[in-house]
Amino acid sequence: MTILYLYYFGAGFHQNEVPQMREKALPDRQFSLRALLLAAAVAIAPQARASDAQANAPDVQMTLDQAQTALRLARAAKQAGDLNGAISLYKAIASAEPDDTTIVLEYGNALSDAGYFDDAIGVYAKIGPQTKDGVAALLGLERAYLRLGENEKALPFADQAIALAPQNPDVLIGRGVALDTLGRHAEAQSCYRAVVASAPRNVAARNELALSLALTGDYAQAIDFLEQSLPLVA
């Protein structure tokens, strides 16, 4: 299947091309970025069904230049909220650039954001832990398993990430969340407190700590942490 339609993103397209999408997107016949994204995604392939995101995504052969153009389009589609269109594009790009861990990571993130957690796990698993995107992929695996309710499977990925990046706030918070889901609240709170100690304005760590404290019945300290966070988000 040709990827020629991707060039609409850079060059625009004529009135007779993708007419139904044109009329549905903007009745006043003025194109927006959203219309361009949707039209290009539809031109490449139908949107994936919710049950088999990867199975319905097209296998598109790309040159390097086409892959770079498609990557810009995929990122814009994701930002515009067209996750299925972004997934179709990311699958094609990842097939063309399988060694580019950043692209593979973004593909996994798009799948996860769309709720295709099993598919996301398969994509994240292709990224080696020692690569530049390895820690982010481990966190993606942890989050996907948590969303699937498989909490026991999530923690080992958080442990791997903490071994590689012990001071990373996102890693510490992620491990804390995994521990909380297993009822290991004291250990979870240690993770959150480590972040707060080094980055007192980290609202995410404060909020997770407050929630963990509440889960153990320490409501007074939980409320105190939440109140301390209010000026940070004002």
Side-chain angles (χ1 to χ4, degrees):
M1 181 181 293
T2 179
I3 198 166
L4 179 61
Y5 284 114
L6 290 175
Y7 291 111
Y8 291 150
F9 179 68
F13 49 95
H14 297 296
Q15 180 174 334
N16 63 338
E17 290 164 336
V18 200
Q20 293 181 347
M21 180 56 66
R22 182 185 180 100
E23 294 301 325
K24 289 179 181 178
L26 289 172
D28 63 357
R29 306 177 75 80
Q30 295 296 316
F31 283 99
S32 67
L33 175 60
R34 173 70 172 167
L36 285 168
L37 295 171
L38 289 173
V42 169
I44 292 171
Q47 287 192 345
R49 294 193 303 272
S51 60
D52 53 359
Q54 294 200 77
N56 281 3
D59 290 319
V60 181
Q61 298 300 316
M62 297 185 184
T63 66
L64 180 58
D65 286 344
Q66 288 172 332
Q68 292 173 344
T69 301
L71 180 59
R72 291 195 296 270
L73 184 57
R75 288 170 174 168
K78 187 172 183 288
Q79 184 176 11
D82 180 15
L83 290 175
N84 281 330
I87 287 167
S88 294
L89 289 163
Y90 273 124
K91 185 192 179 197
I93 303 162
S95 296
E97 300 290 333
D99 296 327
D100 190 324
T101 56
T102 298
I103 290 173
V104 178
L105 178 66
E106 290 185 27
Y107 179 25
N109 289 343
L111 288 164
S112 185
D113 289 346
Y116 307 134
F117 301 116
D118 286 317
D119 288 339
I121 287 169
V123 172
Y124 288 135
K126 296 178 181 178
I127 301 174
Q130 300 295 334
T131 64
K132 64 183 178 67
D133 294 298
V135 169
L138 289 168
L139 291 180
L141 285 162
E142 178 214 352
R143 287 192 297 268
Y145 277 114
L146 288 176
R147 294 297 299 273
L148 288 171
E150 299 183 38
N151 302 337
E152 292 283 356
K153 291 184 178 179
L155 183 58
F157 294 107
D159 288 340
Q160 288 184 60
I162 206 84
L164 292 169
Q167 304 302 319
N168 185 310
D170 291 335
V171 172
L172 285 163
I173 293 171
R175 185 169 186 269
V177 171
L179 289 165
D180 263 332
T181 64
L182 297 173
R184 295 164 60 177
H185 303 302
E187 294 172 80
Q189 290 164 23
S190 294
C191 291
Y192 306 138
R193 291 183 189 279
V195 177
V196 173
S198 62
R201 298 182 65 83
N202 191 307
V203 176
R206 286 181 171 275
N207 289 344
E208 294 293 351
L209 178 56
L211 177 58
S212 184
L213 289 166
L215 289 172
T216 59
D218 192 346
Y219 300 112
Q221 194 172 0
I223 292 170
D224 182 57
F225 263 95
L226 288 176
E227 289 178 342
Q228 291 178 35
S229 298
L230 289 176
L232 302 180
V233 296

